Amino acid sequence: MSSSRLTSGRALLPALLSCLALVPAMAGAATHLEVLADDGEVLVRQPMPEGEGWCLAWNHSVAGFPVLDCYRHRRGHMVLVRSHQPDFAAGLGHVPGRGRQTSDGRGGYWIEDIDEPVPGDRYRLRVGSLEVDHRLVTATRKVSLSRLAAHEPVTIRLHDEPAVASP
């Protein structure tokens, strides 16, 4: 190895070591569920630790009953895990090979074990009117997206925010 290459390698060592010093702080990165308007404004921001879940709920536009698509944070990714549908109304139904259908005991059904990763850990939604009332539901919170952005497109995403390294 030439002495100039060795010298330049030694010059990079302090920079590399300071980058590595950030790794433990970055490991504490927080993951959030976010709803973004088209202009990038954050409409909803909710901590979403590994293993936690949420549902997107709405009232079916024809039949009016509530429908749920439920997701979970799994190993840094957004995964559709189950869906609740109170009946086989327009646009609803179980697709063979995509989860398994079980009764909810009240005339409707759950599609369980869908376990479908959401591409890019985000999806677009055109939020419905207050009659449709798209809602984001977590264990601790229910937010009406229709009150925030009726008739507007939004992006729902699972987003890692690196922890800020302390000096």
Side-chain angles (χ1 to χ4, degrees), residues 72-140:
R72 190 157 303 282
H73 174 191
R74 285 195 184 148
R75 294 180 296 282
H77 297 287
M78 178 188 291
V79 178
L80 175 63
V81 293
R82 66 195 303 225
S83 183
H84 182 261
Q85 301 169 7
D87 115 2
F88 290 101
L92 300 178
H94 175 239
V95 176
R98 185 176 183 251
R100 62 184 171 76
Q101 181 178 319
T102 62
S103 171
D104 71 359
R106 297 174 305 197
Y109 61 96
W110 283 98
I111 301 172
E112 300 281 359
D113 303 324
I114 297 172
D115 297 326
E116 193 172 274
V118 176
D121 302 313
R122 65 179 58 219
Y123 62 92
R124 301 267 296 160
L125 170 72
R126 179 164 294 277
V127 178
S129 68
L130 282 174
E131 290 78 32
V132 172
D133 196 18
H134 279 103
R135 301 169 306 280
L136 197 61
V137 182
T138 70
T140 59

